[in-house]
Structures are given as C-alpha cells and as structure tokens.
C-alpha cells in the first residue's frame, strides 16, 4: 500500500499523474467514481481498471478512511465524530440533518489559534493545519455512515452529504490553500457533486484572505463570525479584532459583496449580558444596514471552562433586528444532548475539561 493519500488529488491532478506514468487519463474519472460515488477504498476491487493500473495505485497511493475514536449520536439525528489522524492528533466533525439535506461541519486545523473566549476549540492551542486529504476524508466517512443508514434506499438524496459548512475547529482562512483544494475535490461532478452554493466558509475575520477570496469570484458562500456590535465587546471575546477591528472587517465584507454580488451571512452567538442587550441589537442593525446580508443568531452552547452563558433574550434581540429592517434568523440548535459545540469532544478527550465533566 502506498503512502500518498488519494484524497489529496483533484480529478485534474490524477489525470496528469496517470498520463505522466503511461496510463489513460480517462481512468481518473473511473477512480473518482469508485472512491467518491461507490465509496470503495480497495484499489483491487476497482474492477473496470486494468490490472497494471490497479497495481500502480496500490504501490503509490492509499484510500484509507479516518479512524473514528468516538461517535456520538443525538436524539435529533446529529452525529459527532472524534477522528484520530495518522499522526495520532484528533479532530471533530459534525453531521446535522436539515430539512434541505445532510449538512456536515468540517474541521480545518488541529486546534485553533484564534482563541475566542467563548469557544471550546480555543482551549487547545493550534498544532498544525490539516492536509487536504484529512478534510476530504471527513466527508467520505460521513457518507459511509449515511450509506449504512440508508442501505435499503440509496436513491434517497438524504443518503449522501449535500451541504458543507467549513466551521469546525480552526480558522479556514489560515489554511486557505488546503481548504480551497478540498472544495475543488468535493465540488467535482464525477465525485461527491456538492455544489458551490451548498458550501459555506466561515471566518473570524482574516481581512487579507477575505479580499483574496472575493477576487476569486466563486459561488461559495461566506459567513463572518461577528458576535458583537462594537469593538470593545468584540475585542473582549475575540483577540483577532485587535488586528482587524470591525471597521476594517466591514470594509472587506463590502468589497466581497461588490466583487461577487453575493449575500453574506453575519454569525452572531448570543451570550447572556455580554452582547445580547437591546442597545446591542440596535447598534448591530445600524452597523450593517444597507448591506446585502442577513444575521444568523446562534444560541450559545455553553462550555463549562468559561463564564459565558446562553442568552435569555434571543427572541427580543431577533424582534429588534426585524423591526430595524434587518434580515435575521435564529439557528436551530443541534446535538444539545451530546458534545456538539465546536471543540467540546476533543477538549474532553485531551483532558482540558475537569474529570467530573468527562
């Protein structure tokens, strides 16, 4: 078995590799079909490939899925997996059943250097970026799980992942090249066929990368983790605001909207008596009024290792935004009965939480 993960390569990459080694480039489509449609991981079982090609693939590549350390399933159908990477590091991935399909929240880094005070991911320091294959394999494994769940009805569109949110552990814009390669692979029509408009990247506000992303003019959705209506509150929760304060962030957002003509999402976690007061709602409305945007209000999933608590004013905050003419929704809560908040399961596993909380 080869040492290079086949999940690192787009169909174009494989075509070039095959041609360079004397094989027909069309075989790349066949390989993609076996791996991403049939979910086959053994090259020897790819029966429509010639034996010399199967031998070449076996000698040079592997299609090893990630190892699942812990799998938790909520009453609402949410599935959270703690994966073990090849170097024994751990990451989390969450599948969230939606009315419109199966959505998966993927992780892009081992740990997170953003150190947002309210987030369990920030409890463990960043160790490294994930490679492309490590992000792709998160989707692959979730598709394996769904295939097993729907084995009697594989024609059901819910038997496959249909939507991706790049909102798990880590800052996607800090791992920009691997994230964009991941999107190229999962977007491939010969593979997972996940459309660009079904993919959302979330960022804490890495301004230079937002501008670079805007210049690419993709159809991929962009979400901004705002979580505050002024610099004082945002800086108290999110260290990145000191480097890229709200004014610079919103300038980059305006540039993105103008360059792509696409609507943007502002994510706003509501935390009791921190950012959820009436004046905050009014301030937020004035801050973003006129933008092609909407606000996704998120009930806080509490982490015992910090002092923040879930807001009791969500309905009031929502009504003020609507009265102020701002498009807003309240995100449905997923996995309330499991460790569904970003980074919780990994933090428990690695001993960040106290023993009586594990």
């Amino acid at each position: 078995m080869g040492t290079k993960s086949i999940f690192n390569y787009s169909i174009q990459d494989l075509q070039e590799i095959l041609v360079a080694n004397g094989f027909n480039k069309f075989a790349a489509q066949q390989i993609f079909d076996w791996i991403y449609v049939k979910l086959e991981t053994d090259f020897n079982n790819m029966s429509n490939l010639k034996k010399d090609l199967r031998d070449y693939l076996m000698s040079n590549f592997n299609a090893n899925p990630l190892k699942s350390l812990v799998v938790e399933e909520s009453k609402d159908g949410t599935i959270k997996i703690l994966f073990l990477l090849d170097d024994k590091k751990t990451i989390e991935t969450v599948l969230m059943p939606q009315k419109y399909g199966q959505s998966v929240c993927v992780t892009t880094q081992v740990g997170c250097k953003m150190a947002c005070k309210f987030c369990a991911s920030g409890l463990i320091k960043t160790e490294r970026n994930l490679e492309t294959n490590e992000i792709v394999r998160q989707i692959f494994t979730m598709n394996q799980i769904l295939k097993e769940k729907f084995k009697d009805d594989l024609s059901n569109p819910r038997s496959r992942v249909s939507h991706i949110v790049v909102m798990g552990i880590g800052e996607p814009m800090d791992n920009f090249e691997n994230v964009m390669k991941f999107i190229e692979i999962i977007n491939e029509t010969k593979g997972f066929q996940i459309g660009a408009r079904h993919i959302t990247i979330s960022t804490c506000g890495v301004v230079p990368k937002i501008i670079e992303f805007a210049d690419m003019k993709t159809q991929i959705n962009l979400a901004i983790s705002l979580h505050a209506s002024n610099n004082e509150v945002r800086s108290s929760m999110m260290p990145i605001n000191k480097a890229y304060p709200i004014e610079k962030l919103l300038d980059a957002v305006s540039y993105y909207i103008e360059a792509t003509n696409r609507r943007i999402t502002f994510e706003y976690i509501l935390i009791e008596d921190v950012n959820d007061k009436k004046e905050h709602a009014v301030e937020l409305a004035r801050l973003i009024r006129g933008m092609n945007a909407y606000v996704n209000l998120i009930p806080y999933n509490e982490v015992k290792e910090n002092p923040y608590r879930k807001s009791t004013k969500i309905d009031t905050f929502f009504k003020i935004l609507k009265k102020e003419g701002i498009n807003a929704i309240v995100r449905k809560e997923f996995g309330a009965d499991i460790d569904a908040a970003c980074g919780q399961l990994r933090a428990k596993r690695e001993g960040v939480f106290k023993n009586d909380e594990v």
Side-chain angles (χ1 to χ4, degrees):
M1 185 69 70
T3 59
K4 294 178 288 189
S5 174
I6 199 76
F7 295 103
N8 267 327
Y9 303 97
S10 68
I11 202 164
Q12 291 79 16
D13 294 334
L14 285 180
Q15 287 173 345
E16 293 174 7
I17 291 169
L18 293 176
V19 170
N21 287 276
F23 299 104
N24 191 322
K25 76 174 185 179
F26 175 74
Q29 294 185 22
Q30 296 172 307
I31 294 168
F32 252 62
D33 180 72
W34 278 107
I35 293 173
Y36 295 105
V37 179
K38 297 182 175 71
L39 305 181
E40 179 58 63
T41 60
D42 188 340
F43 297 123
N44 281 324
N45 290 337
M46 299 180 183
S47 55
N48 60 348
L49 300 183
K50 293 181 179 180
K51 187 179 185 305
D52 59 343
L53 176 53
R54 296 200 303 270
D55 290 343
Y56 169 78
L57 293 173
M58 284 288 294
S59 297
N60 290 276
F61 302 96
N62 70 75
N64 298 334
L66 294 173
K67 181 179 179 181
S68 301
L69 275 181
V70 181
V71 180
E72 295 186 344
E73 185 165 0
S74 170
K75 295 176 183 177
D76 63 19
T78 300
I79 298 173
K80 185 162 195 174
I81 301 179
L82 182 70
F83 284 119
L84 182 69
L85 303 177
D86 297 339
D87 63 356
K88 309 305 180 185
K89 306 297 183 184
T90 57
I91 59 169
E92 299 174 6
T93 309
V94 183
L95 182 142
M96 299 165 289
Q98 304 274 10
K99 291 181 179 179
Y100 50 76
Q102 305 282 14
S103 180
V104 171
C105 179
V106 299
T107 283
T108 57
Q109 294 178 307
V110 179
C112 183
K113 74 177 183 182
M114 294 297 110
C116 296
K117 301 290 175 44
F118 49 80
C119 182
S121 297
L123 296 173
I124 303 175
K125 67 180 182 179
T126 302
E127 297 184 58
R128 65 174 178 85
N129 287 333
L130 292 190
E131 297 177 11
T132 298
N133 76 83
E134 293 170 320
I135 312 175
V136 174
R137 285 192 283 169
Q138 294 173 58
I139 307 303
F140 183 87
T141 301
M142 288 302 185
N143 269 330
Q144 287 181 314
I145 289 172
L146 290 172
K147 183 177 181 179
E148 180 62 24
K149 277 180 169 287
F150 288 85
K151 57 186 174 183
D152 296 325
D153 186 18
L154 293 180
S155 63
N156 189 328
R158 299 187 70 83
S159 67
R160 297 186 70 83
V161 175
S162 60
H163 293 69
I164 305 292
V165 288
V166 190
M167 298 181 183
I169 298 173
E171 166 54 57
M173 295 297 185
D174 262 357
N175 191 13
F176 192 76
E177 289 186 10
N178 284 322
V179 168
M180 296 311 298
K181 189 71 172 182
F182 155 74
I183 290 172
E184 179 186 356
I185 292 170
I186 65 168
N187 182 232
E188 171 57 49
T189 56
K190 303 294 183 182
F192 285 152
Q193 302 181 42
I194 299 173
R197 293 192 178 193
H198 289 178
I199 302 169
T200 300
I201 295 179
S202 177
T203 177
C204 291
V206 184
V207 166
K209 288 299 180 182
I210 293 173
I211 293 171
E212 182 178 345
F213 183 62
D215 288 338
M216 295 173 68
K217 294 182 171 58
T218 72
Q219 296 296 301
I220 301 164
N221 302 305
L222 180 64
I224 303 295
S225 295
L226 189 61
H227 307 318
S229 58
N230 61 64
N231 283 320
E232 181 180 3
V233 174
R234 195 165 194 264
S235 293
S236 72
M237 297 190 297
M238 303 176 68
I240 193 173
N241 196 67
K242 296 170 185 176
Y244 304 114
I246 288 176
E247 295 80 13
K248 289 185 178 180
L249 176 57
L250 293 187
D251 283 346
V253 168
S254 295
Y255 179 82
Y256 170 85
I257 293 172
E258 183 177 353
T260 65
N261 197 32
R262 292 190 58 73
R263 184 173 68 165
I264 204 160
T265 301
F266 287 109
E267 296 171 318
Y268 198 102
I269 293 175
L270 286 160
I271 301 173
E272 184 71 12
D273 294 333
V274 175
N275 63 353
D276 66 340
K277 299 175 183 177
K278 292 180 180 179
E279 55 264 35
H280 293 141
V282 173
E283 191 173 41
L284 176 62
R286 291 173 180 170
L287 195 66
I288 66 173
R289 184 175 286 120
M291 284 186 168
N292 183 16
Y294 77 97
V295 178
N296 190 4
L297 297 174
I298 305 171
Y300 182 52
N301 198 328
E302 295 181 6
V303 178
K304 293 180 181 180
E305 298 303 287
N306 69 44
Y308 298 122
R309 296 294 170 255
K310 179 179 176 180
S311 175
T312 57
K313 312 179 189 71
I314 296 173
D315 188 55
T316 300
F317 200 98
F318 172 77
K319 288 178 178 177
I320 292 173
L321 289 183
K322 298 296 282 186
K323 183 179 178 181
E324 292 285 334
I326 302 299
N327 290 324
I329 61 171
V330 177
R331 180 188 289 179
K332 176 184 175 182
E333 295 184 76
F334 291 93
D337 55 330
I338 61 174
D339 297 307
C342 185
Q344 275 188 329
L345 188 56
R346 179 171 181 258
K348 279 190 175 184
R349 180 80 183 191
E350 302 204 1
V352 174
F353 292 157
K354 298 173 183 176
N355 289 334
D356 61 355
E357 295 165 3
V358 177

